[in-house]
Amino acid sequence: MPLLVMKFGGTSVADLARIKNAAKKVQREVERGYDVIVIVSAMSGETNRLVGYVEGTSKLYDAREYDAVVASGENVTAGLMALRLQEMGIPARSWQGWQVPIQTTAQHGSARFVDIPRANIDAKFAEGFKVAVVAGFQGLSPEGRITTLGRGGSDTTAVAFAAAFGAERCDIYTDVDGVYTTDPRVSSKARKLDKIAFEEMLELASLGAKVLQTRSVELAMRYKVRLRVLSSFEDTDETSGTLVCDEEEIMESKVVSGVAFSREEAKITLFTIEDRPGVASAIFGPLADAGVNVDMIVQNISEKDYDDAHPGAVTDMTFSCPINQVDRAKKAMEDAKAAGKIKYDELIIDTDVAKVSVVGIGMRSHTGVAARMFEALSKENVNIKVISTSEIKISVLIDRKYMELAVQALHDVFELDKA
Ligand code: ASP
Ligand code: MG
């Protein structure tokens, strides 16, 4: 029997009417002859509420109990979805992570998949069940405790199941009708893409386009799971939404496919650090240990290069990280300084920044993208604070108040409104 994975995000299962609407989409695929694995998120707002309960109880909470609490939102929707399908005459059974059992690592709050054994679910399909409804976002640690995968983790659950069960496709139903060239709320000229390559989607996802959890795209790319992002609120068919696929499935792509942005950035500068071997490691080691996700890094050149003649050379180091990790980063640096592991005169935090990036696999074979990007920003008088690049992306850190302007200017200059 061909198999599909269908994932419904929080807004798509936000209340009983929406669960019913989602169930109808499942019914249609069952009628087409598919066995279906449905992955559900918690009702929208529910996970935040549960996280609030945990934080309201314990400031430095035990991560195992955090997982025990926040995983419960998905259990509710899995059971309700199975019930709704049964009401429609479809043999369906719900599964919590431990019942599958979805095996993960023991990193509570950000666990990773180890294995998804098929036997239990396959046995149910063999009995005549048509749908397995699986609670997203959760799994089971080697110690037998409930784990969660990190916020937005149900996308990753869906892709992992599609890979494990050899699904024909993994359909991600959400509250938008696909992946856009940029956020339509920021540029009215944003255009929905029919197809996008895994690598581009990976960059867009990690750069702040919130349609898919980054890890789900990584996993899809690794296992070549064809992913489709589509709306659960519209009538959809085989051609709806955006297909995230191998670049070989895309005939010709533009140099730039999308403009991504993130408001949740902060810039931290350490002034007058020593310029000698080992300093970067002494800074970024403690940051990594503190769980800070450092993104862009700039080290200035010192006036005098480090060598035997200038052992006292100094420089400045700037890096960016998510805004909600600033306190952790600051503490890690102050502790390292107090322990004598690093020296700096001053630590300055700038939380009024945003990151804007252009992404496209076409950049591999075209030059001049950076020049066009910087020219467009200079025409708008936007000052660039930090730049970073990869093979298929260029990112700049700018003042947050110019973010919308920058996104619109870049969308225009790369003509993303035209197919
Ligand atoms: N319910 C979880 C969250 O809100 C997981 C998900 O929806 O993907 O992060
Ligand atoms: Mg989501």
Side-chain angles (χ1 to χ4, degrees):
M1 201 72 90
L3 186 137
L4 270 189
V5 170
M6 303 172 74
K7 184 255 169 178
F8 294 94
T11 49
S12 305
V13 292
D15 55 37
L16 295 184
R18 289 195 181 168
I19 291 176
K20 190 171 179 179
N21 169 64
K24 283 189 187 145
K25 296 205 177 274
V26 177
Q27 178 180 39
R28 210 189 47 204
E29 302 297 356
V30 170
E31 285 168 359
R32 280 196 184 134
Y34 287 105
D35 281 347
V36 181
I37 296 180
V38 175
I39 308 292
V40 286
S41 285
M43 292 177 170
S44 71
E46 188 61 17
T47 307
N48 286 343
R49 195 171 68 92
L50 296 168
V51 170
Y53 285 159
V54 172
E55 291 175 346
T57 305
S58 166
K59 210 165 160 23
L60 293 169
Y61 50 76
D62 179 339
R64 295 171 202 80
E65 303 308 340
Y66 169 96
D67 279 354
V69 175
V70 303
S72 66
E74 271 70 10
N75 297 344
V76 174
T77 36
L80 290 173
M81 176 64 82
L83 276 178
R84 171 50 64 195
L85 289 164
Q86 289 174 4
E87 287 296 312
M88 294 159 75
I90 299 166
R93 185 56 78 218
S94 74
W95 300 80
Q96 296 182 10
W98 64 272
Q99 293 171 304
V100 174
I102 300 171
Q103 294 164 12
T104 72
T105 61
Q107 286 160 279
H108 286 277
S110 57
R112 297 190 158 253
F113 289 105
V114 174
D115 191 25
I116 300 178
R118 294 178 48 159
N120 288 340
I121 288 180
D122 276 345
K124 275 281 178 257
F125 280 134
E127 273 176 38
F129 280 85
K130 299 304 296 173
V131 182
V133 186
V134 179
F137 180 51
Q138 55 175 265
L140 191 67
S141 78
E143 290 81 39
R145 311 258 11 138
I146 305 298
T147 55
T148 64
L149 306 171
R151 297 306 302 271
S154 301
D155 293 336
T156 307
T157 304
V159 174
F161 271 80
F165 284 81
E168 200 171 287
R169 214 180 45 240
C170 180
D171 287 344
I172 307 277
Y173 285 88
T174 179
D175 50 7
V176 293
D177 62 353
V179 179
Y180 278 71
T181 50
T182 195
D183 187 334
R185 284 168 300 191
V186 170
S187 171
S188 55
K189 295 182 193 163
R191 180 175 54 85
K192 183 169 79 69
L193 295 159
D194 291 330
K195 286 183 180 175
I196 185 165
F198 287 128
E199 279 184 280
E200 292 173 322
M201 192 62 230
L202 195 55
E203 292 286 4
L204 293 176
S206 62
L207 293 172
K210 294 202 182 84
V211 224
L212 289 172
Q213 200 203 29
T214 309
R215 275 171 56 202
S216 71
V217 187
E218 275 168 14
L219 209 62
M221 183 157 96
R222 174 137 24 104
Y223 292 99
K224 295 221 189 295
V225 172
R226 297 168 83 235
L227 265 181
R228 198 158 64 119
V229 176
L230 68 174
S231 167
S232 67
F233 303 132
E234 290 172 12
D235 279 336
T236 42
D237 61 27
E238 302 283 65
T239 63
S240 305
T242 300
L243 186 69
V244 188
C245 58
D246 204 81
E247 61 182 272
E248 272 150 33
E249 267 195 71
I250 300 171
M251 289 285 276
E252 194 162 14
S253 58
K254 305 186 82 170
V255 182
V256 170
S257 306
V259 182
F261 57 83
S262 164
R263 293 182 180 87
E264 284 114 49
E265 305 287 321
K267 175 166 80 70
I268 299 181
T269 303
L270 300 174
F271 286 99
T272 18
I273 59 167
E274 296 167 278
D275 185 10
R276 59 162 175 81
V279 168
S281 143
I283 292 172
F284 294 104
L287 288 169
D289 293 342
V292 176
N293 294 310
V294 172
D295 177 25
M296 304 161 113
I297 300 176
V298 192
Q299 181 185 307
N300 291 347
I301 294 187
S302 22
E303 238 166 78
K304 297 190 175 78
D305 257 355
Y306 168 86
D307 58 27
D308 289 342
H310 304 105
V314 290
T315 183
D316 305 326
M317 182 81 84
T318 298
F319 59 89
S320 69
C321 70
I323 205 162
N324 60 3
Q325 294 178 359
V326 161
D327 292 341
R328 250 191 278 169
K330 183 165 179 254
K331 182 163 187 310
M333 294 295 88
E334 286 168 353
D335 289 351
K337 187 180 180 184
K341 296 201 174 104
I342 56 173
K343 290 185 191 155
Y344 59 83
D345 282 351
E346 219 182 337
L347 181 153
I348 303 266
I349 296 172
D350 181 356
T351 51
D352 287 322
V353 291
K355 182 170 69 170
V356 177
S357 313
V358 297
V359 172
I361 44 177
M363 274 186 219
R364 285 201 203 112
S365 46
H366 286 79
T367 55
V369 178
R372 276 169 81 191
M373 176 176 190
F374 301 155
E375 191 193 347
L377 294 173
S378 87
K379 276 193 182 144
E380 301 294 340
N381 243 328
V382 175
N383 189 35
I384 300 170
K385 298 178 173 227
V386 182
I387 302 170
S388 74
T389 65
S390 79
E391 207 187 12
I392 65 161
K393 121 191 139 186
I394 304 168
S395 301
V396 294
L397 208 64
I398 60 174
D399 274 332
R400 189 169 317 135
K401 62 175 186 253
Y402 297 128
M403 195 196 77
E404 274 87 358
L405 180 67
V407 170
Q408 288 157 6
L410 294 172
H411 201 273
D412 283 349
V413 78
F414 292 107
E415 301 185 326
L416 298 184
D417 53 328
K418 300 190 187 100

